[in-house]
Short mmCIF file of all heavy atoms in Angstrom, two decimals:
data_model
loop_
_atom_site.label_atom_id
_atom_site.label_comp_id
_atom_site.label_asym_id
_atom_site.label_seq_id
_atom_site.Cartn_x
_atom_site.Cartn_y
_atom_site.Cartn_z
N ARG A 331 34.64 148.09 96.11
CA ARG A 331 35.93 148.74 96.38
C ARG A 331 35.90 149.46 97.76
O ARG A 331 36.98 149.73 98.29
CB ARG A 331 36.20 149.71 95.26
CG ARG A 331 36.56 149.00 93.99
CD ARG A 331 36.35 149.99 92.76
NE ARG A 331 37.23 151.13 92.90
CZ ARG A 331 38.51 151.12 92.61
NH1 ARG A 331 39.06 150.06 92.06
NH2 ARG A 331 39.29 152.21 92.72
N ARG A 366 46.75 152.82 109.21
CA ARG A 366 47.17 152.26 107.96
C ARG A 366 47.59 150.84 108.05
O ARG A 366 47.33 150.06 107.16
CB ARG A 366 48.35 153.18 107.49
CG ARG A 366 48.88 152.78 106.10
CD ARG A 366 49.84 153.86 105.59
NE ARG A 366 49.28 155.13 105.42
CZ ARG A 366 48.52 155.38 104.29
NH1 ARG A 366 48.31 154.45 103.44
NH2 ARG A 366 48.01 156.53 104.15
N GLU A 370 46.23 147.67 105.85
CA GLU A 370 47.07 146.82 104.99
C GLU A 370 47.00 145.31 105.37
O GLU A 370 46.97 144.48 104.55
CB GLU A 370 48.59 147.29 105.12
CG GLU A 370 48.84 148.54 104.27
CD GLU A 370 50.10 149.27 104.69
OE1 GLU A 370 50.84 148.76 105.57
OE2 GLU A 370 50.37 150.37 104.23
N ARG A 373 43.59 144.13 104.11
CA ARG A 373 43.56 143.95 102.65
C ARG A 373 44.21 142.73 102.27
O ARG A 373 43.85 142.11 101.25
CB ARG A 373 44.28 145.21 102.01
CG ARG A 373 43.45 146.42 101.87
CD ARG A 373 44.27 147.48 101.31
NE ARG A 373 43.51 148.72 101.12
CZ ARG A 373 44.07 149.92 101.02
NH1 ARG A 373 45.37 150.07 101.13
NH2 ARG A 373 43.29 150.97 100.83
N SER A 374 45.29 142.33 102.99
CA SER A 374 46.09 141.20 102.56
C SER A 374 45.27 139.86 102.74
O SER A 374 45.61 138.81 102.31
CB SER A 374 47.39 141.10 103.24
OG SER A 374 47.18 140.82 104.60
N MET A 378 41.65 140.48 95.81
CA MET A 378 40.77 141.06 94.82
C MET A 378 41.14 140.63 93.45
O MET A 378 42.35 140.51 93.15
CB MET A 378 40.81 142.63 94.95
CG MET A 378 39.77 143.33 94.20
SD MET A 378 39.64 145.03 94.75
CE MET A 378 37.96 145.41 94.34
N ASN A 384 45.04 143.62 85.94
CA ASN A 384 46.05 144.37 86.72
C ASN A 384 47.23 143.42 87.24
O ASN A 384 47.75 143.59 88.28
CB ASN A 384 45.38 145.05 87.88
CG ASN A 384 44.45 146.16 87.47
OD1 ASN A 384 44.47 146.48 86.32
ND2 ASN A 384 43.64 146.64 88.40
N LEU A 385 47.65 142.55 86.37
CA LEU A 385 48.90 141.78 86.66
C LEU A 385 50.05 142.77 86.56
O LEU A 385 50.06 143.80 85.76
CB LEU A 385 49.06 140.65 85.80
CG LEU A 385 48.12 139.45 85.90
CD1 LEU A 385 48.26 138.53 84.71
CD2 LEU A 385 48.24 138.80 87.20
N TRP A 386 51.08 142.50 87.35
CA TRP A 386 52.27 143.37 87.27
C TRP A 386 53.09 142.90 86.02
O TRP A 386 53.57 141.85 85.99
CB TRP A 386 53.04 143.26 88.57
CG TRP A 386 52.22 143.77 89.72
CD1 TRP A 386 51.63 145.03 89.78
CD2 TRP A 386 51.83 143.07 90.87
NE1 TRP A 386 50.89 145.09 90.94
CE2 TRP A 386 51.08 143.94 91.65
CE3 TRP A 386 52.11 141.82 91.43
CZ2 TRP A 386 50.47 143.60 92.89
CZ3 TRP A 386 51.60 141.47 92.65
CH2 TRP A 386 50.75 142.41 93.36
N GLN A 387 53.16 143.82 85.08
CA GLN A 387 53.63 143.48 83.76
C GLN A 387 55.13 143.22 83.74
O GLN A 387 55.66 142.60 82.77
CB GLN A 387 53.30 144.59 82.75
CG GLN A 387 51.91 144.88 82.57
CD GLN A 387 51.17 143.87 81.76
OE1 GLN A 387 51.72 143.38 80.75
NE2 GLN A 387 49.96 143.51 82.12
N HIS A 388 55.91 143.64 84.68
CA HIS A 388 57.34 143.44 84.70
C HIS A 388 57.74 142.06 85.44
O HIS A 388 58.88 141.89 85.64
CB HIS A 388 58.08 144.58 85.30
CG HIS A 388 57.72 144.85 86.78
ND1 HIS A 388 56.41 145.10 87.22
CD2 HIS A 388 58.52 144.80 87.83
CE1 HIS A 388 56.46 145.27 88.49
NE2 HIS A 388 57.71 145.04 88.96
N MET A 389 56.73 141.34 85.82
CA MET A 389 57.04 140.12 86.48
C MET A 389 56.38 138.93 85.63
O MET A 389 55.29 139.05 84.98
CB MET A 389 56.37 140.04 87.83
CG MET A 389 56.90 141.13 88.79
SD MET A 389 56.18 140.96 90.34
CE MET A 389 56.82 142.37 91.23
N GLU A 397 54.59 137.12 94.68
CA GLU A 397 54.98 138.49 95.15
C GLU A 397 54.39 138.92 96.54
O GLU A 397 55.10 139.23 97.44
CB GLU A 397 54.54 139.49 94.12
CG GLU A 397 54.90 140.96 94.52
CD GLU A 397 56.32 141.29 94.56
OE1 GLU A 397 57.09 140.50 93.94
OE2 GLU A 397 56.65 142.22 95.23
N HIS A 401 56.46 139.26 99.93
CA HIS A 401 56.83 140.67 100.35
C HIS A 401 55.78 141.25 101.23
O HIS A 401 56.01 142.36 101.72
CB HIS A 401 57.06 141.46 99.12
CG HIS A 401 58.32 141.11 98.40
ND1 HIS A 401 59.57 141.47 98.81
CD2 HIS A 401 58.53 140.28 97.30
CE1 HIS A 401 60.49 140.92 98.05
NE2 HIS A 401 59.82 140.17 97.11
N VAL A 402 54.58 140.65 101.41
CA VAL A 402 53.59 141.20 102.29
C VAL A 402 53.42 140.25 103.48
O VAL A 402 53.46 140.70 104.62
CB VAL A 402 52.27 141.49 101.60
CG1 VAL A 402 51.28 141.97 102.60
CG2 VAL A 402 52.42 142.51 100.51
N TYR A 430 55.48 136.26 80.50
CA TYR A 430 55.11 137.58 80.92
C TYR A 430 53.69 137.83 80.57
O TYR A 430 53.26 137.38 79.51
CB TYR A 430 56.06 138.62 80.44
CG TYR A 430 57.39 138.64 81.12
CD1 TYR A 430 58.47 137.92 80.69
CD2 TYR A 430 57.60 139.45 82.21
CE1 TYR A 430 59.64 137.90 81.31
CE2 TYR A 430 58.78 139.39 82.89
CZ TYR A 430 59.85 138.61 82.47
OH TYR A 430 61.04 138.60 83.13
N ALA A 432 52.01 140.14 79.19
CA ALA A 432 51.73 140.73 77.89
C ALA A 432 51.62 139.65 76.84
O ALA A 432 51.03 139.89 75.78
CB ALA A 432 52.85 141.73 77.53
N PHE A 433 52.17 138.47 77.11
CA PHE A 433 52.19 137.39 76.09
C PHE A 433 51.05 136.49 76.33
O PHE A 433 50.98 135.36 75.66
CB PHE A 433 53.48 136.69 76.10
CG PHE A 433 54.67 137.51 75.59
CD1 PHE A 433 55.30 138.36 76.48
CD2 PHE A 433 55.00 137.51 74.24
CE1 PHE A 433 56.35 139.17 76.04
CE2 PHE A 433 56.01 138.30 73.81
CZ PHE A 433 56.74 139.16 74.70
N ARG A 446 46.95 134.51 91.73
CA ARG A 446 47.56 135.48 92.59
C ARG A 446 46.70 135.83 93.82
O ARG A 446 47.24 135.86 94.92
CB ARG A 446 47.83 136.77 91.77
CG ARG A 446 48.38 137.91 92.64
CD ARG A 446 48.69 139.12 91.79
NE ARG A 446 47.49 139.85 91.31
CZ ARG A 446 47.55 141.03 90.66
NH1 ARG A 446 48.73 141.63 90.41
NH2 ARG A 446 46.42 141.54 90.20
N GLY B 162 46.08 150.79 87.48
CA GLY B 162 45.49 149.46 87.97
C GLY B 162 46.57 148.65 88.60
O GLY B 162 46.27 147.95 89.60
N GLU B 163 47.82 148.65 88.12
CA GLU B 163 48.78 147.84 88.73
C GLU B 163 49.16 148.34 90.12
O GLU B 163 49.47 147.55 91.04
CB GLU B 163 50.03 147.78 87.78
CG GLU B 163 49.81 146.98 86.57
CD GLU B 163 51.04 146.91 85.64
OE1 GLU B 163 52.13 146.71 86.14
OE2 GLU B 163 50.79 147.13 84.44
N GLU B 165 47.13 149.98 91.93
CA GLU B 165 45.86 149.67 92.74
C GLU B 165 45.92 148.21 93.23
O GLU B 165 45.55 147.93 94.35
CB GLU B 165 44.67 149.97 91.92
CG GLU B 165 43.42 149.89 92.68
CD GLU B 165 42.28 150.58 91.88
OE1 GLU B 165 41.80 149.93 91.01
OE2 GLU B 165 41.95 151.72 92.28
N ALA B 166 46.37 147.30 92.33
CA ALA B 166 46.41 145.90 92.70
C ALA B 166 47.39 145.74 93.87
O ALA B 166 47.10 144.96 94.86
CB ALA B 166 46.91 145.04 91.55
N ALA B 167 48.48 146.46 93.89
CA ALA B 167 49.42 146.34 94.94
C ALA B 167 48.83 146.84 96.31
O ALA B 167 48.91 146.21 97.26
CB ALA B 167 50.67 147.23 94.67
N ARG B 168 48.05 147.92 96.19
CA ARG B 168 47.34 148.42 97.34
C ARG B 168 46.33 147.47 97.86
O ARG B 168 46.21 147.16 99.05
CB ARG B 168 46.69 149.79 96.95
CG ARG B 168 46.68 150.80 98.02
CD ARG B 168 46.75 152.21 97.41
NE ARG B 168 45.69 152.45 96.50
CZ ARG B 168 44.53 153.04 96.83
NH1 ARG B 168 44.24 153.37 98.05
NH2 ARG B 168 43.61 153.29 95.88
N ALA B 169 45.59 146.88 96.88
CA ALA B 169 44.45 145.93 97.24
C ALA B 169 45.01 144.70 97.93
O ALA B 169 44.29 144.08 98.70
CB ALA B 169 43.68 145.56 96.02
N PHE B 170 46.31 144.34 97.64
CA PHE B 170 46.87 143.18 98.35
C PHE B 170 47.65 143.49 99.65
O PHE B 170 48.35 142.64 100.17
CB PHE B 170 47.74 142.40 97.35
CG PHE B 170 46.97 141.51 96.47
CD1 PHE B 170 46.68 141.98 95.14
CD2 PHE B 170 46.46 140.35 96.85
CE1 PHE B 170 45.96 141.17 94.30
CE2 PHE B 170 45.77 139.49 96.07
CZ PHE B 170 45.53 139.95 94.73
N GLY B 171 47.46 144.71 100.08
CA GLY B 171 48.01 145.07 101.41
C GLY B 171 49.46 145.53 101.36
O GLY B 171 50.15 145.57 102.42
N MET B 172 50.00 145.86 100.22
CA MET B 172 51.37 146.37 100.19
C MET B 172 51.39 147.77 100.78
O MET B 172 50.55 148.59 100.48
CB MET B 172 51.84 146.47 98.70
CG MET B 172 52.32 145.19 98.14
SD MET B 172 53.28 145.49 96.70
CE MET B 172 53.30 143.76 96.04
N SER B 173 52.46 148.05 101.55
CA SER B 173 52.60 149.36 102.06
C SER B 173 53.09 150.29 101.00
O SER B 173 53.42 149.77 99.90
CB SER B 173 53.63 149.35 103.20
OG SER B 173 54.92 149.03 102.67
N ARG B 174 53.00 151.56 101.22
CA ARG B 174 53.46 152.50 100.14
C ARG B 174 54.88 152.30 99.72
O ARG B 174 55.18 152.26 98.57
CB ARG B 174 53.35 153.94 100.65
CG ARG B 174 51.99 154.44 100.71
CD ARG B 174 52.03 155.90 101.12
NE ARG B 174 50.75 156.43 101.30
CZ ARG B 174 50.55 157.76 101.63
NH1 ARG B 174 51.52 158.54 101.78
NH2 ARG B 174 49.33 158.16 101.75
N ARG B 180 58.81 147.53 94.91
CA ARG B 180 58.60 146.33 94.21
C ARG B 180 57.86 146.49 92.84
O ARG B 180 57.99 145.75 91.92
CB ARG B 180 57.77 145.33 95.05
CG ARG B 180 58.45 144.88 96.29
CD ARG B 180 59.66 143.98 96.02
NE ARG B 180 59.35 142.97 95.12
CZ ARG B 180 60.19 142.18 94.52
NH1 ARG B 180 61.48 142.38 94.73
NH2 ARG B 180 59.81 141.20 93.69
N ILE B 181 56.97 147.47 92.76
CA ILE B 181 56.16 147.68 91.58
C ILE B 181 56.45 148.97 90.78
O ILE B 181 56.89 148.91 89.67
CB ILE B 181 54.60 147.63 91.98
CG1 ILE B 181 54.35 146.48 92.91
CG2 ILE B 181 53.77 147.61 90.73
CD1 ILE B 181 54.39 145.12 92.25
N PRO B 184 60.51 149.64 89.66
CA PRO B 184 61.04 148.77 88.65
C PRO B 184 60.19 148.93 87.37
O PRO B 184 60.82 148.91 86.24
CB PRO B 184 60.96 147.39 89.21
CG PRO B 184 60.12 147.50 90.49
CD PRO B 184 60.18 148.90 90.92
N ARG B 185 58.92 149.09 87.52
CA ARG B 185 58.12 149.18 86.32
C ARG B 185 58.43 150.48 85.57
O ARG B 185 58.53 150.46 84.30
CB ARG B 185 56.62 149.20 86.77
CG ARG B 185 55.61 149.07 85.82
CD ARG B 185 55.43 147.69 85.30
NE ARG B 185 54.20 147.60 84.55
CZ ARG B 185 54.13 147.99 83.29
NH1 ARG B 185 55.18 148.46 82.71
NH2 ARG B 185 53.01 147.95 82.64
N ARG B 258 65.89 141.44 79.15
CA ARG B 258 65.57 140.64 80.28
C ARG B 258 64.07 140.48 80.44
O ARG B 258 63.56 139.51 80.92
CB ARG B 258 66.21 141.15 81.63
CG ARG B 258 67.66 140.83 81.78
CD ARG B 258 68.18 141.27 83.07
NE ARG B 258 67.30 140.82 84.12
CZ ARG B 258 67.42 141.19 85.41
NH1 ARG B 258 68.26 142.16 85.69
NH2 ARG B 258 66.57 140.74 86.33
N ILE B 259 63.36 141.53 80.12
CA ILE B 259 61.95 141.49 80.14
C ILE B 259 61.45 141.74 78.71
O ILE B 259 61.39 142.93 78.29
CB ILE B 259 61.33 142.48 81.16
CG1 ILE B 259 61.76 142.10 82.56
CG2 ILE B 259 59.81 142.54 81.01
CD1 ILE B 259 61.12 142.87 83.65
N PRO B 260 60.95 140.69 78.07
CA PRO B 260 60.54 140.92 76.73
C PRO B 260 59.21 141.71 76.77
O PRO B 260 58.41 141.57 77.69
CB PRO B 260 60.25 139.51 76.24
CG PRO B 260 60.04 138.61 77.40
CD PRO B 260 60.83 139.31 78.54
N ARG B 262 55.93 143.47 74.29
CA ARG B 262 55.25 143.28 73.05
C ARG B 262 55.04 144.68 72.46
O ARG B 262 54.32 145.45 73.04
CB ARG B 262 53.96 142.65 73.32
CG ARG B 262 53.77 141.37 72.58
CD ARG B 262 52.49 140.72 73.03
NE ARG B 262 52.12 139.84 72.07
CZ ARG B 262 50.96 139.06 72.04
NH1 ARG B 262 50.12 139.31 73.12
NH2 ARG B 262 50.65 138.25 71.15
#
Side-chain angles (χ1 to χ4, degrees):
Chain A
R331 291 160 58 83
R366 184 172 292 283
E370 282 162 8
R373 278 177 179 159
S374 71
M378 194 166 204
N384 295 349
L385 290 172
W386 298 305
Q387 300 282 323
H388 62 300
M389 300 181 184
E397 178 67 20
H401 292 281
V402 177
Y430 284 89
F433 293 84
R446 171 175 73 172
Chain B
E163 290 179 44
E165 190 163 75
R168 215 147 57 92
F170 279 100
M172 278 195 196
S173 66
R174 280 185 187 182
R180 298 290 311 166
I181 311 291
R185 191 77 169 79
R258 277 187 53 193
I259 294 188
R262 242 176 155 180

